Amino acid sequence: MDRIIIRGGRRLEGEIPISGAKNAALTLLPCALLTDEPLTLRNLPRLADVDSFGHLLNQLGVSITVEGSKPKDFGRVMTLRASNVASTVAPYDIVRKMRASILVLGPLLARAGEATVSLPGGCAIGNRPIDLHLKALEELGAEIELTAGYVRATAPKGGLVGGRITFPIVSVGATENALMAAVLAKGTTVIENAAREPEITDLAKCLVAMGADIEGLRTDTLTIRGKDKLHGATYAVMPDRIEAGSYACAAAITGGSVLLGGARRETMPAILSGLTDAGVHVADEPGGIRISANGEIKPLTLSTAPYPAFPTDMQAQFMAMLALANGTSLLTESIFENRYMHVPELNRMGADIEVRGRSAVVRGVKALTGAPVMATDLRASMSLVLAGLAAQGETQVARVYHLDRGYERLEEKLQAVGADIERASDG
């Protein structure tokens, strides 16, 4: 099993290219099921989750070709074609590895009239039920049955029909599944209290490029007029705002100056606002966003919430940065109930963090010390890397397969801006 070894204390300086967004890519890939024509996705990140999703789509009958990229390039160009849907069953062996697999449910149901999908797995960061996904599809006429760990959904004779979907709480995944199902439903569908994350807008833009009729982009009300058929398209995956925010924290925690190449300010307002409030300098440049820090980090009070508020996927990274702040910070996790598993590992490195229910009190310390630590989930993994970059001595991060799910060639990108970081294998 691989480990990441970091010898901390180096100031980061230079440019880090931001890859295509993991969360957007995993939403765009199942769009291939909605048409029998080719869908070409550019700027697709090289990630374990993307590969796993590709294997799932292969089993469903999607042919995949990768072109125009060398092994050492960041990103890929992938063409997917579902000329026929060979299977409507997404098996447990694949779905258990990655929660995003549930996003084949809506497209399969819309295109083939039925879908059988294993209940999803993914990171152990708390309870994430799919009841809102299922209720949304029922509003479009689907019949849902839960049996033996699988969801079986069947469309009425003649296909899904338009309806009004009102989510009681904001759900990114449920919005995505409902949107993909609605584009082929007969009639008009209105989705109220829809998630507004940039990845939702990216999905809608891709669907429009494929011939879908969608109004209300970037708002919490989406109106979809169903089409009989969608066509192929070529679409570029948006830059990853969470990766950009993570490397922004790397620049801040090391007192460095890093250009986040290709990052888009409009997709990450709360992240950049939080950095500014912490005393980090944020500046737009022609090639992206520059993050600069002088080593002095101010404490913050932050609470995670749906977009455009502060994202739960940045909580762990900000916590690592604030562990070295001059004062006490308060972080509140309102999305997931079990997303502080990185706290004991950060405390092993000398941080002073106390969890109180859904809140964490972070008392800034003068320095962190390198130590062997273990990753528990994707974003927690990155928080340990960030702490290691600033710590005195050597940090070894175990179970880095979590990192490989969401950060494309992390060591290479950090080495390029001056970090002393490498990957080692126990085998």
Side-chain angles (χ1 to χ4, degrees), residues 26-304:
L26 297 180
T27 302
L28 298 178
L29 285 166
C31 290
L33 293 166
L34 293 168
T35 178
D36 60 1
E37 297 182 14
L39 173 63
T40 299
L41 297 176
R42 300 186 179 278
N43 197 35
L44 199 68
R46 296 174 180 268
L47 299 172
D49 273 10
V50 172
D51 292 339
S52 294
F53 213 123
H55 293 320
L56 172 58
L57 292 175
N58 277 151
Q59 290 205 12
L60 301 177
V62 180
S63 65
I64 298 176
T65 57
V66 180
E67 53 194 80
S69 62
K70 300 177 182 178
K72 291 188 177 181
D73 289 342
F74 293 113
R76 289 178 287 184
V77 179
M78 184 180 289
T79 299
L80 307 98
R81 184 164 193 174
S83 299
N84 296 290
V85 177
S87 171
T88 59
V89 178
Y92 169 75
D93 284 347
I94 295 181
V95 177
R96 69 179 176 86
K97 301 176 184 177
M98 181 180 54
R99 180 173 178 80
S101 303
I102 195 65
L103 294 178
V104 302
L105 183 60
L108 281 176
L109 186 61
R111 170 95 179 272
E114 63 179 25
T116 302
V117 180
S118 171
L119 293 172
C123 287
I125 59 174
N127 186 33
R128 297 194 280 178
I130 62 167
D131 57 313
L132 296 181
H133 298 242
L134 306 184
K135 289 177 182 177
L137 296 176
E138 285 178 332
E139 291 295 332
L140 302 180
E143 292 186 3
I144 306 292
E145 178 185 5
L146 299 179
T147 178
Y150 280 79
V151 176
R152 176 170 172 76
T154 307
K157 189 175 182 179
L160 297 175
V161 293
R164 182 172 294 272
I165 300 168
T166 303
F167 290 118
I169 59 173
V170 174
S171 170
V172 174
T175 300
E176 292 166 341
N177 244 331
L179 183 55
M180 286 187 282
V183 294
L184 290 181
K186 291 176 172 56
T188 299
T189 299
V190 177
I191 304 176
E192 297 177 330
N193 200 27
R196 292 185 288 161
E197 270 71 5
E199 293 81 8
I200 299 285
T201 301
D202 212 40
L203 169 62
K205 287 181 176 180
C206 180
L207 292 171
V208 169
M210 296 171 67
D213 184 348
I214 305 170
E215 291 182 0
L217 274 64
R218 302 183 183 88
T219 75
D220 62 1
T221 301
L222 298 172
T223 301
I224 307 101
R225 298 174 184 86
K227 298 285 188 175
D228 292 334
K229 186 177 181 181
L230 298 187
H231 53 69
T234 297
Y235 191 79
V237 182
M238 64 175 280
D240 196 319
R241 62 193 176 104
I242 304 301
E243 184 194 36
S246 300
Y247 289 128
C249 289
I253 202 171
T254 63
S257 178
V258 172
L259 177 66
L260 307 175
R264 296 178 187 171
R265 174 181 285 270
E266 68 273 15
T267 67
M268 45 192 300
I271 298 172
L272 298 180
S273 177
L275 289 165
T276 300
D277 291 344
V280 179
H281 184 64
V282 178
D284 292 319
E285 292 192 6
I289 302 172
R290 180 166 295 279
I291 307 295
S292 305
N294 59 11
E296 176 75 10
I297 299 172
K298 299 177 182 178
L300 297 175
T301 297
L302 289 174
S303 179
T304 65

